Amino acid sequence: MIRRLLQVDFMKMKRKGFWFLTFLGPFGVVALQMVNYGLRKDYLLQQSEDNWGHYLGNITVFTPLALVLGIVILTSFIASVENETNAWKQLLALPVSKLSVYLSKFTVLAGLLFVSSILLAVFTLSFGIFLNLGEQIPWIELLKDSFYPFFAGLPVLALHLWIATVSTNQGIPITVGVLGTILTYSSYVLPDWVIWKWPSLNNGWNEPVINVWLGIGIGLLLYIGGMLDFARRDVK
Amino acid sequence: MLFSIIQSEWYKLRKSKIIFIILAGPLVGLFTGLNSNIAAENGELNKWYFIFMMMTLTYALLFLPLVTGVLAGFICRYEHQEGGWKQLLSLPVTRGRVYMAKFILLMGLVFFIQLLFLASLYTAGLIKGVQDPFPMQIVWKSIFGGWIATFPLVALQLWMSMIWKSFAAPFTVNVIGTLPAILAVNSETFGPIYPWGQPFLMMYIGGGTDAVFFIPWEQVLGVVGGSFLIFFTGGLLYFKRKMV
Amino acid sequence: MNYMVETKGLSKRFGNETAVKNLELKIPKGEVYGFLGPNGAGKTTTIRMLLGLMKPTSGSIHIFNQDLTKEKISILKKVGSLVENPSYYPHLTAYENLEALRKILGVPKKRIYEVLETVRLTDVAHKKVKGYSLGMKQRLVIAASLLNEPQLLILDEPTNGLDPSGIIEIRDLIKRLPSEYGMTVLISSHLLSEIDQIATSVGIISRGKMIFQDTIETMREHAQIKISLKSSNSHRAYQSLLTKGKQVDYKDGLIYLDDQSDEDVAEVVNSLVHDGFSIYRVEEEKRSLEDIFLQMTSKEDVK
């Protein structure tokens, strides 16, 4: 059943710009560095011995912000597809369990964000090679910077899916998203327990992988919480 | 006439959840203000400046541009539901006036948020125990300048919110404009001409303090005024032709 | 008796407000059951509970003799529904809308064409629903409700937004369903005339309570004949009849007789003439279903 629901969810995404946004996020992050390096490449290359490292550092300034904003936008979009004509009542009067409907939405969103992560790695690598930053490509760092934020951001995804599906007024999840973005941007002053800090991969132990495990663990908990609440509610 | 439309717009908005958005502004201000490490600054500089600079960084760079989109979405929400545009525009009102009313109300809300931000600065300073004299004139310049700088952004967001029913679509446009501002304000070439960077440049008191605003008049008129004219006219023309 | 839908003590409260109170809905197989009541009486809330969209505060629901809370999915496989305003995905075409539902229901693709034909949307099947008229959208959701050839079809105000010819079309379709496909239909409406023309059983709900539930014939019997009588000095005539122990009512200068056999009428007329009243008119008044409906629902209002 979940496979069918996924097919249906992908069908409903047609002509709504989901794939465009999936592309736009990672492209935007790298495009900003295209402008940055385009304007002042010489200056930037002087900043450090490790040109690749410095370049990846510049990219990762925007990755967490783009990820959090992408989550806010995609979750709100997927909820408005059902909210627009209150199609929830039609969908949930079909022989499907509410749990699988929720799981399908989450899977679709996680899938899109994962594709974004892949694209981020590809774009980062391509532009890095184009800049001629050196023979020694730091593969491990590149992959970490592209995929760790995705896992570390799962709690934000789980939280936003819940807020977006239970709000009739999509202004609410967007406002929460704006506040979350501010938190992500200020992550350096935040304590480690704030989930919006995690995509920046910073923590007191200086061990980015901790954020990945926290992201998966707490993300799962928040997902289950949101799903159970969604199932408990009366359909509007 | 215009005034009664504004009143009616406000009436519709009163009972929405808009208060939460308005309160988010000072919340962000307070959050960054209290997190600013004031002890690190022990030079000659007035400590109010220090807190204020820390606060405006996040607030003017990200929050203010982003929140204009949320407010614009709210102000068009009722009309997008259940044929509200039809109902509103079949009243004896002109479309131009409806557009103006919504824009004026939005600017009023942004100004109110700016005032609350000012209040949050004062509160943060009091909590932090700042003893220095409060630099009222400079701070006012910043609050007022930041408000002026949102004119084009509000106009664009109102335009986008009239096109799309969903909140997420105009918000996407907003994000695409706002994120690059983080880089743009650091650039001497792009900074002065990038509309989404102007709220920051006009609020950040690190700039020149001799003029009326922190940026030159040419920039205020050319970039803020110019982009405002484009976005406002674009939105107005769109709205006049919109099929409802 | 074997019911397709049977609820026991079904209640739903929202905060302090009771939307549905102790509802005992009984829908026999093969019937077109008209679920009738004024706006806000609790029809849609009941239907939402029948579809598992809302959880009852108390009471039970059995559909196909299965408990809805325990076997929701297997029940919903055999149910088609339309709740309140039409739901659809405006950015998709009619075909795509149905395909999205078909994938979940797992019925063959040809059903899409069949139901599109049934509601006459074949010509516009590949146009985005965004541009449809209200009536076309309504027909699309009716098509959607038929997609899985349901044994039970639940339609909440299905003729909303349809033009007169659309209403007739849908009415004829609904009438055919029990005989041709063995479906049982629950159709809600606030218009008695609507229900009167297609239903075989009726349930009337008012303020969340079922105030009448039986076959439409039984309901029509309630539309009993009344005899009205006009005479000189009607009120005194009425009083004189009362003193003689006759079952009569008086209203607006007319005397109404409760007993209506020919003998009774003759007796009353006789006694009035005997007492010196002049009889001007003796008339038979037939109460319309509408009157009964109004009377039933307004009686409830008083409480």
Side-chain angles (χ1 to χ4, degrees), chain A residues 11-17 84-85, chain B residues 164, chain C residues 87-98 116 121-138 140:
Chain A
M11 229 184 113
K12 290 179 198 163
M13 279 163 33
K14 270 190 191 177
R15 299 190 271 272
K16 278 279 178 184
E84 196 168 351
T85 64
Chain B
W164 283 302
Chain C
S87 288
Y88 50 88
Y89 303 102
H91 63 292
L92 301 179
T93 67
Y95 179 87
E96 287 167 336
N97 264 280
L98 294 172
L116 280 172
L121 283 177
T122 312
D123 295 342
V124 288
H126 294 288
K127 293 211 170 97
K128 281 196 216 171
V129 178
K130 202 183 277 181
Y132 279 23
S133 68
L134 187 56
M136 286 159 82
K137 287 169 182 165
Q138 192 72 12
L140 172 64

Side-chain angles (χ1 to χ4, degrees), chain A residues 86-119:
Chain A
N86 193 10
W88 289 112
K89 61 181 161 66
Q90 194 187 43
L91 177 61
L92 295 172
L94 295 172
V96 284
S97 75
K98 281 173 138 184
L99 303 186
S100 53
V101 168
Y102 198 79
L103 176 62
S104 171
K105 302 272 179 219
F106 185 84
T107 313
V108 166
L109 291 168
L112 291 175
L113 290 168
F114 194 74
V115 171
S116 281
S117 303
I118 297 174
L119 291 175

Side-chain angles (χ1 to χ4, degrees), chain C residues 92-246:
Chain C
L92 301 179
T93 67
Y95 179 87
E96 287 167 336
N97 264 280
L98 294 172
E99 173 66 10
L101 300 171
R102 186 203 69 84
K103 278 201 157 88
I104 296 176
L105 292 165
V107 298
K109 272 199 175 174
K110 70 169 179 24
R111 283 297 296 157
I112 295 182
Y113 296 103
E114 288 171 11
V115 294
L116 280 172
E117 194 59 50
T118 310
V119 298
R120 299 200 195 163
L121 283 177
T122 312
D123 295 342
V124 288
H126 294 288
K127 293 211 170 97
K128 281 196 216 171
V129 178
K130 202 183 277 181
Y132 279 23
S133 68
L134 187 56
M136 286 159 82
K137 287 169 182 165
Q138 192 72 12
R139 271 146 64 197
L140 172 64
V141 290
I142 290 172
S145 70
L146 296 170
L147 206 51
N148 57 339
E149 302 183 85
Q151 295 177 24
L152 172 67
L153 185 63
I154 297 181
L155 303 172
D156 190 9
E157 310 262 355
T159 49
N160 260 356
L162 294 179
D163 53 24
S165 71
I167 292 179
I168 294 168
E169 222 170 277
I170 295 302
R171 193 186 291 151
D172 290 344
L173 173 68
I174 294 171
K175 273 189 195 163
R176 288 201 321 263
L177 294 172
S179 53
E180 286 181 25
Y181 306 98
M183 279 184 205
T184 304
V185 184
L186 166 65
I187 173 171
S188 86
S189 178
H190 59 278
L191 295 173
L192 184 119
S193 56
E194 183 82 37
I195 296 296
D196 188 27
Q197 293 182 59
I198 45 179
T200 50
S201 302
V202 193
I204 299 178
I205 183 174
S206 173
R207 303 215 154 182
K209 285 193 283 188
M210 189 73 93
I211 52 175
F212 177 87
Q213 180 171 241
D214 213 318
T215 62
I216 193 104
E217 285 79 25
T218 317
M219 184 169 174
R220 290 209 182 93
E221 278 167 25
H222 276 251
Q224 72 224 129
I225 297 159
K226 287 209 304 190
I227 302 289
S228 72
L229 209 143
K230 194 176 180 191
S231 73
S232 59
N233 213 340
S234 282
H235 195 253
R236 275 196 49 211
Y238 162 68
Q239 283 168 332
S240 96
L241 285 172
L242 277 184
T243 54
K244 289 184 175 137
K246 300 282 176 210

Side-chain angles (χ1 to χ4, degrees), chain B residues 183-203:
Chain B
L183 268 187
V185 294
N186 287 313
S187 156
E188 294 197 351
T189 2
F190 274 113
I193 58 163
Y194 194 68
W196 287 267
Q198 302 313 308
F200 175 76
L201 295 175
M202 291 188 79
M203 283 192 82

Side-chain angles (χ1 to χ4, degrees), chain A residues 12 64-65 69 72 101 103 113 120 131 146-147 154 159 167 184:
Chain A
K12 290 179 198 163
L65 288 173
L69 285 164
V72 174
V101 168
L103 176 62
L113 290 168
L120 179 62
L131 282 174
S146 304
F147 290 97
L154 288 175
L159 185 70
S167 310
T184 303

Side-chain angles (χ1 to χ4, degrees), chain B residues 54 57 71 81 85 101 113 117 141 146 184 191 219 224:
Chain B
M54 290 300 289
L57 183 65
L71 292 174
Q81 289 173 336
W85 287 118
I113 292 178
F117 180 68
K141 193 182 277 197
Q219 194 176 327
V224 177

